Amino acid sequence: MSGITLQPAAPARASRILGIGGYRPSRVITNAEIVEQIDSSDEWIRTRSGIESRRWATDDETVVAMSLGAAGKALAEAGVQPAQIDCVIVSTVTHLFQTPSAAAEIAYKLGTERAAAFDISAACAGFCYGLSLASDMVRAGTARHVLVIGVERLSDLTDQTDRSTAFLFADGAGAAVVGSAENPDDGGIGPVVWGSDGQHLDHIRQREDWRDVLRNEAGPTMPHLVMQGNPVFRWASYEMAKVAQEALTAAGVTADDLDVFVPHQANMRITDAMARQLKLPERVAIARDIATQGNTSAASIPLAIERMLETGEARSGDLALIIGFGAGLVYAAQVIRIP
């Protein structure tokens, strides 16, 4: 053995979110349009999910195009130039190219200087997963600035005749720039509490294998997403409240310390159930972006934060609990400072 000692990465630093940005597709789809193809009503959809309308992308609003729109806003808010980005992480399940990654194309089109780039598939927990990876990179000194993007075109994989899912899914992109805090006490991203429960893989999944849809005798079609609504509702409403509490404990805070609660925008009833389980004070602002945006999976948390900043429900420096959960079943939660 040689006596050579490898030089370690830079000492750990505190990480924080420097800027948030979102992209909402131009096409607004009302409940009236949805119920034309399913046995339902506007009242039923609002009661079951809290959704009044959702955004679906046009042909030009691709996964990459929406990501670039959200990323540009996040970079501007952070005061960071594309050339300062060392890594791009994109969470998506709807980039329909197996390779190359959406992240690599986005990194190039943004004008980063050879940034590392990769996609992750963590469904509706994807933004929280990406945020944790970015935070660890910054803290370990392997990156100065990391761009995290959650983006979906779920309308591509939505069966518009499926009564259980047609009204839920939507499109959009949200982005965050993660960098170092000026001193350790300024850290803005708490420890992540994450995991998976694979015994329930069938609760939310892609219905068809890609090979099956390509070999369809009637001609190639798109695969579709299916969901077992009641089991997912019970799991998200109660099990995820426990995970959220673990994230509070890991960060050394309590529900009384929070200013904002931003759960994945899956269903308004799930949001309300989690808030009750956590015993959130009435003064805590709760994200309800799903009402006019729909369920955008990996994009929902950054989009909700952006809207709360725009409306004044959240302010820079507020303490927020975020939690994502979805197909897998995967989940992740952390406490953050609003940028």
Side-chain angles (χ1 to χ4, degrees), residues 91 96 156 183 211-212 224 232 240-241 255 268-269 294:
S91 178
L96 301 183
D156 287 336
N183 64 67
R211 291 165 296 186
D212 293 335
H224 295 117
V232 170
M240 290 303 96
M268 199 83 79
R269 293 166 63 216

Side-chain angles (χ1 to χ4, degrees), residues 81-163:
Q81 297 299 313
Q84 295 176 274
I85 295 295
D86 298 312
C87 183
V88 178
I89 302 172
V90 175
S91 178
T92 184
V93 298
T94 50
H95 181 56
L96 301 183
F97 286 86
Q98 191 71 35
T99 192
S101 67
E105 184 176 354
I106 292 163
Y108 170 71
K109 289 185 174 179
L110 275 176
T112 66
E113 295 183 354
R114 301 166 67 97
F118 59 93
D119 294 353
I120 60 174
S121 176
C124 307
F127 178 76
C128 293
Y129 268 52
L131 188 63
S132 179
L133 294 173
S135 176
D136 288 348
M137 288 179 188
V138 169
R139 286 174 50 78
T142 56
R144 297 165 301 167
H145 299 98
V146 181
L147 176 63
V148 180
I149 300 171
V151 58
E152 302 293 4
R153 269 184 59 118
L154 290 168
S155 59
D156 287 336
L157 303 183
T158 298
D159 181 349
Q160 296 180 28
T161 65
D162 181 354
R163 189 171 186 266

Side-chain angles (χ1 to χ4, degrees), residues 23 57-68 105 151 153 173:
Y23 181 93
T58 63
D59 290 344
D60 294 335
E61 292 170 318
T62 64
V63 162
V64 170
M66 290 190 292
S67 296
L68 290 171
E105 184 176 354
V151 58
R153 269 184 59 118

Side-chain angles (χ1 to χ4, degrees), residues 289-300:
D289 194 42
I290 190 173
T292 56
Q293 179 63 42
N295 179 342
T296 57
S297 186
S300 78

Side-chain angles (χ1 to χ4, degrees), residues 174-238:
V177 176
V178 178
S180 62
E182 294 181 3
N183 64 67
D185 293 334
D186 292 334
I189 303 175
V192 68
V193 175
W194 55 1
S196 64
D197 188 359
Q199 67 176 319
H200 299 306
L201 284 172
D202 287 340
H203 283 7
I204 312 171
R205 67 177 303 136
Q206 182 175 305
R207 186 171 62 199
E208 302 93 350
D209 185 297
W210 278 102
R211 291 165 296 186
D212 293 335
V213 296
L214 291 172
R215 290 195 293 251
N216 189 339
E217 293 182 359
T221 61
M222 292 291 284
H224 295 117
L225 299 175
V226 292
M227 180 174 67
Q228 297 179 33
N230 289 334
V232 170
F233 177 84
R234 289 192 295 270
W235 174 78
S237 298
Y238 302 105

